Amino acid sequence: MNQIKIGTFISECRKAKGWTQNQLAEKLGITDKAISKWETGRSMPDLSLFVPLCTLLEITLNELFAGEKISDQNLKEKADEILMEVITGWLGHDKWIPKENSSARNYVLEVSHVSKVYKNASTKDATNHNAVSAVNNVSFQIPHGSFVGIMGASGSGKTTLLNLIATIDKPTGGRIQINGQNIVDMSETETADFRREHIGFIFQEYNLLDTLTIYENIALALTIKNIPKETIRKTIEDLSEKLNISSILDKFPYEVSGGQRQRCACARAIVVNPDIILADEPTGALDSYASKQLLSTFAILCKEYQATILMVTHDVMAASYCDSILFMQDGEIKATRNREQESKQTFFADILKMIEWIEEKNHDLFKIVSP
């Protein structure tokens, strides 16, 4: 993949539209410095920007990756070749590892007809015409030991849904069960206890305590549960070895890299053996190398510890590590894509196609309802 060639192509397409770098940046909601870096070949667009960038420039993803226009007669021949070459460059090669038949597994999470409506407190309109439906009649199930992703644009409702499952917020309607327990009807005290005992969290900003060492950050959750010190040390030593953070246990969070901090957050989340781990844009603050390390860590948690992970992400690369993806738009799940026996590369390509399909359907609907 020739970044300079791709950057030159982006520049040519932008100029053909009569746009400045600043105008293209505004349309994408980013800075003009990012556009400049793309066009000089110093960096590539973020994965989440591929589809909107191609839509604006009226080019295909394959043309973007190739750095040139592709004629109709050559499109079929070059499309898969270009796409797989680029994807393999990011993801490397992986082998399909069969999982236990999901139909035979217990469901850790069951979301049934869940909705969340926010009312405008400033309005006196009794009919609540100004109410906003952030999540609308969402239902799905997650089997034990699965790694599931939720994807969607900003405002699609994915973070609101995660907050409802995390017991941070209450749904307006519907039922959420974690290991058979309905978390919707719990009292505040019961909810706080349940959250501490049954749910693990991994955030974009790590949320580690800077005054504690990496070891102490991981041990804190076990200390609260009055686990004996000897058991705590053995548990953390075994876990940190698997996650490759043994050498930094005595360091403070500000002394280690972002990727190491995030793996510490993973250790902290899994050490209490939660029913489910909720991850909110966990790769958002990491570079591509650290992101791959974190996602490999998630795979270890699922394989070695039978962890169940639900991750909100906009990153197609992160999503390609999942077993299945829920695609959200306007508070609803518009589509689901399960990884069968595909490699990450093939699943990555399928996710991109699904995002394009959802975008196209949305544009077609807009054309229908617009005057």
Side-chain angles (χ1 to χ4, degrees):
M1 182 172 59
N2 189 328
Q3 286 191 194
I4 294 177
K5 184 179 180 182
I6 292 172
T8 301
F9 182 55
I10 292 173
S11 177
E12 291 172 352
C13 293
R14 171 183 60 78
K15 291 175 182 176
K17 288 286 187 180
W19 297 334
T20 63
Q21 289 183 346
N22 188 56
Q23 287 172 321
L24 178 57
E26 287 181 355
K27 294 176 186 295
L28 291 170
I30 59 176
T31 66
D32 56 353
K33 289 183 179 179
I35 304 293
S36 177
K37 287 182 178 180
W38 300 349
E39 295 188 355
T40 54
R42 286 180 289 166
S43 68
M44 282 285 290
D46 184 87
L47 296 174
S48 64
L49 294 174
F50 283 154
V51 172
L53 177 62
C54 289
T55 300
L56 285 170
L57 297 181
E58 297 185 76
I59 58 176
T60 67
L61 280 168
N62 290 301
E63 287 174 329
L64 175 64
F65 295 147
E68 61 183 349
K69 288 283 187 178
I70 302 174
S71 63
D72 291 340
Q73 54 265 42
N74 293 331
L75 181 59
K76 185 175 181 180
E77 178 183 346
K78 294 193 69 173
D80 290 340
E81 175 188 339
I82 294 169
L83 189 57
M84 293 308 294
E85 179 185 341
V86 173
I87 294 170
T88 301
W90 281 324
L91 300 177
H93 296 274
D94 79 320
K95 295 181 180 179
W96 167 252
I97 301 175
K99 287 203 170 188
E100 181 185 349
N101 186 350
S102 62
S103 62
R105 288 182 280 170
N106 295 325
Y107 290 113
V108 170
L109 175 66
E110 297 181 80
V111 176
S112 304
H113 305 290
V114 166
S115 298
K116 179 63 180 181
V117 177
Y118 292 101
K119 298 178 182 179
N120 190 336
S122 63
T123 182
K124 297 181 180 179
D125 186 353
T127 59
N128 292 317
H129 288 307
N130 291 330
V132 176
S133 180
V135 175
N136 183 22
N137 196 33
V138 167
S139 298
F140 63 92
Q141 298 169 314
I142 297 182
H144 176 74
S146 296
F147 182 12
V148 177
I150 303 177
M151 297 191 76
S154 297
S156 62
K158 59 186 186 298
T159 297
T160 299
L161 177 59
L162 195 73
N163 287 340
L164 297 176
I165 296 168
T167 71
I168 294 171
D169 201 355
K170 291 278 189 181
T172 306
R175 186 178 73 254
I176 301 173
Q177 289 183 294
I178 296 179
N179 261 355
Q181 297 189 65
N182 186 357
I183 64 174
V184 174
D185 297 330
M186 290 180 176
S187 67
E188 288 189 14
T189 300
E190 290 172 332
T191 297
D193 291 340
F194 184 87
R195 188 187 305 131
R196 183 175 61 252
E197 296 287 334
H198 299 275
I199 302 176
F201 296 93
I202 301 172
F203 303 96
Q204 180 176 331
E205 297 301 329
Y206 322 120
N207 284 12
L208 301 176
L209 298 175
D210 283 337
T211 55
L212 300 181
T213 65
I214 297 296
Y215 177 92
E216 290 166 341
N217 266 282
I218 300 171
L220 185 60
L222 294 174
T223 303
I224 292 173
K225 296 179 71 173
N226 294 319
I227 304 296
K229 287 184 178 181
E230 297 75 16
T231 303
I232 291 176
R233 177 161 294 279
K234 180 67 166 60
T235 300
I236 294 177
E237 286 177 350
D238 291 345
L239 180 58
S240 62
E241 184 175 348
K242 281 194 168 69
L243 300 187
N244 196 27
I245 55 173
S246 299
S247 62
I248 63 167
L249 289 178
D250 292 331
K251 295 183 179 295
F252 290 92
Y254 58 83
E255 295 180 306
V256 302
S257 70
Q260 290 171 321
R261 288 197 293 273
Q262 199 59 297
R263 291 202 300 281
C264 169
C266 288
R268 181 187 56 186
I270 196 66
V271 75
V272 294
N273 193 28
D275 293 330
I276 190 168
I277 294 174
L278 305 179
D280 189 7
E281 299 282 8
T283 62
L286 304 178
D287 59 30
S288 59
Y289 175 75
S291 294
K292 289 179 183 179
Q293 285 190 313
L294 175 64
L295 294 165
S296 296
T297 298
F298 283 172
I300 291 172
L301 295 182
C302 289
K303 181 180 178 182
E304 301 288 338
Y305 296 91
Q306 291 73 54
T308 304
I309 302 174
L310 179 61
M311 174 179 70
V312 162
T313 185
H314 70 277
D315 187 337
V316 184
M317 185 185 77
S320 67
Y321 282 74
C322 295
D323 301 324
S324 63
I325 302 294
L326 309 176
F327 297 89
M328 287 197 73
Q329 187 180 59
D330 300 328
E332 300 177 354
I333 294 177
K334 296 294 186 181
T336 302
R337 183 70 177 88
N338 295 319
R339 182 181 175 186
E340 301 298 339
Q341 294 189 14
E342 306 106 322
S343 64
K344 285 198 295 287
Q345 294 89 337
T346 302
F347 195 39
F348 181 106
D350 288 344
I351 293 168
L352 282 178
K353 291 173 184 176
M354 184 63 74
I355 292 172
E356 282 190 294
W357 177 77
I358 292 172
E359 290 288 334
E360 286 171 2
K361 283 197 68 175
N362 187 50
H363 292 158
D364 291 341
L365 178 62
F366 181 76
K367 289 176 184 176
I368 293 170
V369 301
S370 294

